[in-house]
Each structure stands twice: as structure tokens, then as C-alpha cells.
Amino acid sequence: MSTNLKSQAPPSPHGSASSSLIIMLPSASSSSLNATAAASTDVFDIGKHSTVLLNVEPAEETTYFFFKKSSSSSSSGNDSNDHRPPKPLLIAAPSDNGEFPVLQFLHGYLFHNSFYSQLLQHVASHGFIVVAPQLYYMAGADATDEINSAAEITNWLPQGLQDFLPAHVLANLKKLGLAGHSRGGKVAFALALNKVATATTTLKFSALIGIDPVDGRDKGNQTQPPVLTYIPRSFDLDMAVLVIGSGLGEVKRCLLMPACAPKGVNHEDFFEECKDPAGYFVVKDYGHVDMMDDDTEGFIGKASKCMCKNGMSREPMRRFVGGAVVAFMKAYMHGDFGDLVAIIEGKAMLPVELQKVDFHV
């Protein structure tokens, strides 16, 4: 499909970007993005839906070293073990009546799903059900088990999810998205690409979102199974893809620690391998974990604030990531491209400054 290329950076609400934005927009003949972009958008603010945050335990309780369940954890819905998930879940959902699309969200390496509660509720407040499994608490370099676990959760959704949602809240699994952060982003891509033969799913994903995805420590030192092939446009994905990157993710916090999202295995490389339609936002001056909750508890939660190069505050990055996810899901699940086009064209008031924008259809 033909595209129009604009290399001039649009005005930024936070000042001029140090590097120009690259924006690829469809020509007037394209109908998918031929929508009127609003001058501002509310996707970066909490949406109109009140939300609930639910903890759902698996059928068999498991004790993990270095992990203690929160005393505030609770479950909702049917207590029958027959319908309980294979892994612990954190579910953010609208609490008012309606039928809503579903987004499966995969956490980063060694992180807890609870570290993303504010982000998940942001997305849910705009009319989406977000299911965030705790894939593991301790793990090695090989991500195969995580990919299989993500597939198990996907296959559980039709038989079990509805039992744990508030009354009169219906899950529309015909509109199902898949997202992941950091190594969870790699796992999301691996699942969508069928990188593990045993990780088969019974449902079809409509959209894929990688939030600062990472495929190892360096090019040539990828974790198993490797996702990146370094062949442009090689990902065979029958769905729209959004990649969100952090400008500081590839910057080392100190000489003794590697960067959290090293160049050569990060967001830039993932986007290069995405076929159309694919979008790409890189956020300037924010780091690899800045989309997580303001307060992340425990040793790992506290370590997350010192192991990566961070921005001044997590809130702006979290609001942008939440808003970008909402705009993308609205576009490719509801056919409402207004908010996404506003972001791409620089007509939305953003909570952050973008370092790069690229979108091809």
C-alpha cells in the first residue's frame, strides 16, 4: 500500500525533540486510517468505566521461594476448581454492564503481574478486560515454559474467564489482544509466531503489542527460543502490531550492569521485522520499567527502580503506554482510528515527548 512520508517533527507539548520524528501515514486511498484526527484525546486519562481488580488463584496452590501472597489477595466469581486457571491471574475489568474485548498481558522477567496494576486499570477503564497471568516467580534464561504457560492461559479463557468476572460483564473473545512487557513482550511475539510447537492456542488474536520487548542480552546472545531473525518484515503475523519503546532502555544505569533493553535485541529490532500494519512509538527520556506502578513492593519491586535507567517519574510513561494501548485496541478492535491517528499525526496532547513515530499499513 502506498504511503506518505513526513520527516518534519510536529510541535511537541514538551518542547522540540532532539531527533526528528519519522511518520509514515497511509495515502488518501487507504480507508483503514482515513479518519478525522482529534486535536486532543482522552485515552491518556482514566476512562469512563469504573473498574475492579481481581486476584484469581489457580486450582492447585503452589508455594514459591521468595514470594509471599498479599494478604489483600482475593478471588471473584465461581470458586469451583474445575474452572480455575492454570496460573494465578490479575484481572482488571470494567465493573459496569457490557460486553468488552479482552487483552492478555504478560509481565517482564522476574516481575510480578501486580507491578502493572495501575496500567491494567487504566486500559480497563476504557472498556477492556485485561487478564495478566503470573507466568512464574523464578525462571532461567529459557522462555519455553513461559510461552507454553501463556498458551495454556489463552486456551483457558473460553471455559473459565467468565466465571470470575463481575455480574453482567461479558468477555468478547472474538476480539482478543496479546501484549507483553520486556521478556513478556518476547513471549507474546513467540506465542503469536508459534515459536514453540507445543504452545498451540484455540483462540485467534486480533492485535499484538510489544511494550519495550527484549530478546536477550545482545545480538547473537538471545534467550531461547530466539524470536528475532534480523530479516526485515519477516514476522508472519496475521494481525496488527504495535511496538512501544523506551528511549532510555538501551542506556546502562552503571558500568557494572547491562542495559535493561540492550540495542540489538530491543524494540527497534522487533519493529523492523513486523509486516504491515505495524506502529512504532519510542518515548524520549523514559526507561524500561517506567510504565509500572509507582510503588512496587518486595525486593524485586525495589530493585526495579535501581537496575534500569529511569525517567523523572513513572506516571507520564505509564499514562502514555496505557493511552497508546487503548488507542491501538480501539482502532483494530472497534474500527475507531481517531485517537491513534491523532497520536501519529502529532495532534494529541501527550504526557511525554516522543523520540520516534513510525506507522505503516
Side-chain angles (χ1 to χ4, degrees):
M1 184 176 292
S2 60
T3 58
N4 294 329
L5 178 63
K6 298 181 181 181
S7 60
Q8 180 65 38
S12 166
H14 296 276
S16 301
S18 58
S19 58
S20 62
L21 299 177
I22 301 174
I23 305 176
M24 298 183 70
L25 297 175
S27 64
S29 61
S30 171
S31 60
S32 63
L33 284 179
N34 192 16
T36 302
S40 63
T41 175
D42 63 357
V43 293
F44 302 111
D45 298 322
I46 298 300
K48 66 179 182 179
H49 297 278
S50 57
T51 62
V52 292
L53 195 62
L54 307 169
N55 286 278
V56 180
E57 296 299 335
E60 295 182 1
E61 296 289 339
T62 307
T63 302
Y64 295 90
F65 192 47
F66 288 139
F67 178 73
K68 181 180 180 181
K69 290 186 178 69
S70 169
S71 59
S72 62
S73 294
S74 61
S75 60
S76 173
N78 191 337
D79 286 335
S80 170
N81 278 343
D82 292 342
H83 291 157
R84 286 191 171 273
K87 295 287 181 178
L89 301 180
L90 183 63
I91 300 175
S95 59
D96 39 339
N97 298 357
E99 184 178 57
F100 305 99
V102 177
L103 176 66
Q104 185 172 333
F105 179 89
L106 309 179
H107 60 83
Y109 184 55
L110 298 182
F111 293 146
H112 297 165
N113 54 7
S114 61
F115 292 175
Y116 304 89
S117 64
Q118 289 175 285
L119 174 63
L120 304 186
Q121 287 179 290
H122 183 128
V123 175
S125 74
H126 287 272
F128 299 95
I129 298 168
V130 190
V131 179
Q134 185 67 47
L135 298 176
Y136 58 87
Y137 295 106
M138 301 295 291
D142 194 317
T144 301
D145 287 345
E146 295 150 60
I147 300 167
N148 282 322
S149 294
E152 289 177 15
I153 293 296
T154 306
N155 294 335
W156 169 85
L157 293 173
Q159 66 183 22
L161 176 60
Q162 194 61 56
D163 288 350
F164 298 96
L165 296 177
H168 308 299
V169 172
L170 302 177
N172 183 355
L173 292 174
K174 293 182 179 179
K175 296 180 178 180
L176 176 63
L178 178 62
H181 169 233
S182 189
R183 177 153 138 170
K186 167 203 172 82
V187 171
F189 271 86
L191 179 60
L193 290 164
N194 300 311
K195 287 290 184 179
V196 176
T198 54
T200 56
T201 58
T202 56
L203 296 177
K204 179 179 174 58
F205 295 107
S206 303
L208 175 63
I209 303 167
I211 302 172
D212 226 18
V214 179
D215 193 22
R217 298 185 64 180
D218 200 356
K219 185 175 181 180
N221 190 15
Q222 296 162 256
T223 52
Q224 293 297 319
V227 171
L228 295 170
T229 66
Y230 301 98
I231 302 173
R233 306 289 193 268
S234 61
F235 285 162
D236 188 13
L237 293 164
D238 186 22
M239 68 187 85
V241 184
L242 175 65
V243 178
I244 303 173
S246 64
L248 299 180
E250 62 188 44
V251 180
K252 291 184 178 184
R253 181 68 183 258
C254 67
L255 293 177
L256 299 178
M257 296 180 64
C260 286
K263 196 170 182 62
V265 287
N266 68 11
H267 52 86
E268 181 178 14
D269 306 282
F270 276 85
F271 178 69
E272 283 298 313
E273 298 195 34
C274 292
K275 294 181 180 180
D276 305 348
Y280 185 37
F281 300 134
V282 181
V283 182
K284 183 182 178 184
D285 297 330
Y286 287 89
H288 184 62
V289 298
D290 283 339
M291 72 294 298
M292 296 201 304
D293 288 0
D294 291 327
D295 296 317
T296 45
E297 298 180 348
F299 173 79
I300 295 175
K302 290 179 172 59
S304 71
K305 295 192 173 184
C306 60
M307 60 198 238
C308 301
K309 186 75 172 176
N310 303 321
M312 295 294 292
S313 166
R314 286 181 171 179
E315 182 191 17
M317 178 65 163
R318 186 173 59 245
R319 287 180 59 209
F320 176 79
V321 171
V325 169
V326 168
F328 187 72
M329 296 271 284
K330 285 175 64 177
Y332 286 98
M333 292 190 178
H334 296 315
D336 180 358
F337 284 83
D339 292 313
L340 184 60
V341 172
I343 299 171
I344 294 169
E345 293 189 338
K347 295 180 179 178
M349 295 298 294
L350 307 181
V352 297
E353 183 179 348
L354 294 182
Q355 184 173 306
K356 181 177 286 187
V357 176
D358 195 348
F359 206 100
H360 48 80
V361 295

